[in-house]
Amino acid sequence: MQVTDRPTASNLPIEINSARHNLNTARLYEETIRNGEGRLAADGPLVVSTGQYTGRSPKDKFVVQEPSSQDKVWWGSVNQPLPEEKFNALRDRLLAYIKDSGKGLYVQDLYVGADPQYRLKVRVFTETAWANLFARNLFIRPTQDELVGFQPDFTVVDVPSFHANSAEEGTRTETFIALNLAQNLVLVGGTEYAGEIKKSMFTVMNYVLPMRGVMPMHCSANIGPKGDTALFFGLSGTGKTTLSADPNRTLIGDDEHGWSDEGVFNFEGGCYAKVIKLSQKAEPDIWRASHRFGTLLENVEMDPEDRKLDLESSKLTENTRSAYPIEFISNASSTGTGGHPENVLMLTADAFGVMPPIARLTPEQARYYFLSGYTAKLAGTERGITEPEPNFSACFGSPFLPLPPMTYSRLLGEKIKQHGSHVWLVNTGWTGGAYGQGHRMSISHTRAMVTAALDGTLAQAPTTIDPTFGFEVPTSCPGVPSEVLQPRNTWADKDAYDAAARNLAQRFKDNFAKFADQVADEVRNAGPK
């Protein structure tokens, strides 16, 4: 098959070896171990190392500039432009590299999107067997009947041993994640971190779904015993996975969802959980899922003799990960779908200790705080950070937004109003003072507040208006001391609290300035006073 000027997902000239096509979990285990790519741990999970890169490489992510998407993409540091001719040169050299190596790739045919009306068919080519297992675990696996005549809508080609020639092919380094929306093609090279496979398709869904009136979301979701759906938005470390993993509610998914005219649906067929210092007592479902056959563990240390896992170790990275099919969670949904959300929770870990543990938002405030996407970075988490710093990530997921944030903000606002969803801002961060002075919010108190929000108790509770941020703060909640609900009351030095609150409010205003001329007055005025 000859290399064409513009191959598509279905005609990409890569030979598919039937012996490596749609291998099941057991066979991918065998291939991984035979190839020396990973090791079998006690209790059955497969443990691999991702080498130099133990997390995403956002500065090496590119979107191809081409006519069909040129005027739609949110160009900038998130979506760095790559000229079409540079991409084609990179693609052709990669295809030649694959052919000349003679070793062949592993292939999985999968779905992204639990709702058949909106799903994409994706074909994933990987150089390593374990990365193929990762894709098989994280995406949705078709039935044998559905695999007959499978023609992909999108193709991902992941070849870590291939490196870009940055001087000639327009990349920043030899590492690249390049998305071509006209060719329905993602190319990944120079990095073994498998999260790039998952997040590249999330970016694709974030591009195609808004054009069909569907809101793509970086959130977890679950369903209560009465059939009520809840969404949990939040950046890393805010409790998105922990709070949605409620034994009394059915888990729809832990990371990526769509909100259509029919309701909510999971994009994925698996979970990609952080497992550093994972507690068997606090998160038993994730712990069990991470200690069984079929699960893939990235950069987790284990004893070389008895092969027992050491989840406390951060020797390789703090970003240790467990990738497993969602059915490994005992109360996971079998359909990956739910109704329209009755409650939407936006999670933040405020290290300044000034935001209330829970507050109710108006639809306008919901859009303001969604566009802000606030949490905080802690001292010591990154080189040079000596005190807490605000971290604003638009729509709680700016690295994955190919379209301008206003696109997603408008969609969310419309759906909240249409379906009458209650919106809550939940602070899982600090109280009684900033990080280093106060203490982390009690998880039992947070769970009690989330439960009260989801069962309707807080919607009926009396509230006060926060003088700085302007949202409604409940004055009582079952299982939570009343003083905890008002953050100023938890500080010994009230003047220090006021100063810290004013400082954070100004940070919000400074960040929101870039959106100020794009939103209506009622949204612009919904922020801190």
Side-chain angles (χ1 to χ4, degrees):
M1 210 172 175
Q2 300 240 340
V3 173
T4 61
D5 287 337
R6 189 184 291 269
T8 64
S10 58
N11 71 6
L12 194 69
I14 298 177
E15 181 181 346
I16 297 178
N17 183 340
S18 61
R20 291 186 168 193
H21 191 194
N22 291 328
L23 297 185
N24 65 18
T25 298
R27 293 185 64 188
L28 288 170
Y29 260 55
E30 291 175 349
E31 293 281 321
T32 298
I33 294 169
R34 181 184 298 119
N35 297 342
E37 300 168 2
R39 296 176 296 165
L40 190 63
D43 302 318
L46 191 62
V47 180
V48 300
S49 167
T50 64
Q52 177 185 356
Y53 295 99
T54 58
R56 291 183 301 103
S57 301
K59 293 182 179 180
D60 295 308
K61 174 186 171 185
F62 299 90
V63 177
V64 176
Q65 279 188 308
E66 48 77 29
S68 73
S69 61
Q70 171 73 42
D71 297 332
K72 302 182 183 74
V73 173
W74 180 37
W75 299 110
S77 59
V78 170
N79 301 294
Q80 301 176 95
L82 184 68
E84 193 170 15
E85 64 274 13
K86 298 286 188 182
F87 175 86
N88 289 343
L90 179 68
R91 179 203 68 208
D92 292 349
R93 196 166 66 83
L94 172 58
L95 294 175
Y97 175 85
I98 294 168
K99 181 179 179 181
D100 294 344
S101 70
K103 59 184 175 182
L105 303 181
Y106 295 90
V107 191
Q108 287 286 324
D109 292 331
L110 301 157
Y111 292 136
V112 181
D115 187 333
Q117 186 177 176
Y118 301 108
R119 70 174 34 147
L120 289 179
K121 296 177 180 178
V122 59
R123 175 164 288 162
V124 183
F125 293 89
T126 65
E127 181 176 20
T128 60
W130 75 259
N132 219 240
L133 176 61
F134 174 90
R136 181 178 172 83
N137 280 357
L138 265 295
F139 296 141
I140 298 170
R141 296 160 296 285
T143 65
Q144 287 301 311
D145 287 344
E146 290 170 333
L147 287 171
V148 176
F150 188 97
Q151 292 294 315
D153 301 308
F154 237 90
T155 298
V156 179
V157 183
D158 176 72
V159 185
S161 67
F162 177 84
H163 299 113
N165 183 330
S166 57
E168 295 183 6
E169 292 159 346
T171 59
R172 186 182 70 95
T173 67
E174 62 184 17
T175 298
F176 60 91
I177 304 94
L179 166 61
N180 191 318
L181 291 162
Q183 297 181 20
N184 296 346
L185 180 60
V186 177
L187 304 179
V188 181
T191 173
E192 294 183 66
Y193 184 66
E196 303 289 9
I197 298 172
K198 161 188 158 73
K199 288 304 185 185
S200 65
M201 285 309 301
F202 183 40
T203 301
V204 170
M205 295 293 272
N206 284 340
Y207 179 79
V208 301
L209 289 184
M211 301 177 199
R212 301 184 63 188
V214 178
M215 173 63 187
M217 304 173 293
H218 186 214
C219 71
S220 57
N222 64 24
I223 309 173
K226 296 180 180 179
D228 57 298
T229 299
L231 304 180
F232 299 79
F233 288 94
L235 299 171
S236 179
T238 58
K240 179 161 53 80
T241 298
T242 299
L243 292 174
S244 62
D246 185 332
N248 298 313
R249 298 175 65 87
T250 300
L251 179 68
I252 301 175
D254 79 331
D255 196 42
E256 302 169 5
H257 293 83
W259 186 353
S260 70
D261 289 341
E262 290 74 35
V264 170
F265 62 97
N266 193 359
F267 289 172
E268 302 181 293
C271 300
Y272 194 36
K274 279 188 175 181
V275 290
I276 188 71
K277 303 187 190 320
L278 182 70
S279 165
Q280 183 176 9
K281 181 179 179 181
E283 298 185 87
D285 274 342
I286 298 174
W287 195 93
R288 282 192 297 270
S290 301
H291 288 78
R292 60 174 289 180
F293 178 84
T295 290
L296 179 73
L297 300 176
E298 289 181 333
N299 304 311
V300 171
E301 284 288 298
M302 68 176 177
D303 187 284
E305 297 302 323
D306 63 19
R307 302 295 181 94
K308 290 184 178 179
L309 302 175
D310 181 3
L311 298 180
E312 295 294 312
S313 174
S314 58
K315 180 180 178 181
L316 296 177
T317 178
E318 288 279 337
N319 190 35
T320 55
R321 291 279 183 166
S322 177
Y324 50 85
I326 196 169
E327 60 265 26
F328 284 12
I329 299 297
S330 58
N331 63 334
S333 166
S334 60
T335 65
T337 61
H340 296 292
E342 292 191 19
N343 289 280
V344 175
L345 296 92
M346 298 181 183
L347 310 178
T348 179
D350 174 30
F352 297 94
V354 300
M355 301 196 82
I358 193 163
R360 185 171 178 176
L361 306 182
T362 65
E364 293 72 28
Q365 288 171 331
R367 286 192 61 187
Y368 183 96
Y369 287 99
F370 181 67
L371 278 170
S372 298
Y374 166 70
T375 192
K377 293 180 180 178
L378 300 179
T381 56
E382 292 182 12
R383 188 170 54 189
I385 297 180
T386 57
E387 59 184 35
E389 287 188 3
N391 180 26
F392 295 99
S393 182
C395 309
F396 295 99
S398 63
F400 320 117
L401 304 183
L403 303 175
M406 292 305 305
T407 302
Y408 309 98
S409 170
R410 280 193 293 268
L411 265 174
L412 183 67
E414 290 167 3
K415 291 191 178 296
I416 286 171
K417 283 189 174 181
Q418 180 181 355
H419 300 288
S421 307
H422 298 298
V423 185
W424 307 90
L425 186 67
V426 178
N427 175 20
T428 62
W430 273 255
T431 186
Y435 172 77
Q437 299 171 344
H439 56 87
R440 191 76 187 253
M441 202 74 67
S442 162
I443 184 64
S444 63
H445 288 164
T446 299
R447 287 191 184 279
M449 287 180 281
V450 168
T451 297
L454 300 187
D455 69 16
T457 301
L458 283 192
Q460 309 301 322
T463 61
T464 60
I465 301 296
D466 185 284
T468 303
F469 295 95
F471 35 53
E472 296 180 55
V473 180
T475 58
S476 65
C477 176
V480 182
S482 58
E483 62 270 16
V484 171
L485 298 170
Q486 305 292 328
R488 192 172 188 269
N489 293 341
T490 67
W491 284 53
D493 186 338
K494 303 298 189 284
D495 291 338
Y497 170 85
D498 293 339
R502 287 194 299 270
N503 178 273
L504 182 58
Q506 188 60 50
R507 303 284 193 104
F508 268 94
K509 293 170 74 71
D510 293 344
N511 172 73
F512 202 80
K514 59 180 174 284
F515 303 122
D517 62 352
Q518 303 174 56
V519 298
D521 289 346
E522 56 266 29
V523 175
R524 184 168 52 252
N525 296 331
K529 308 304 177 186

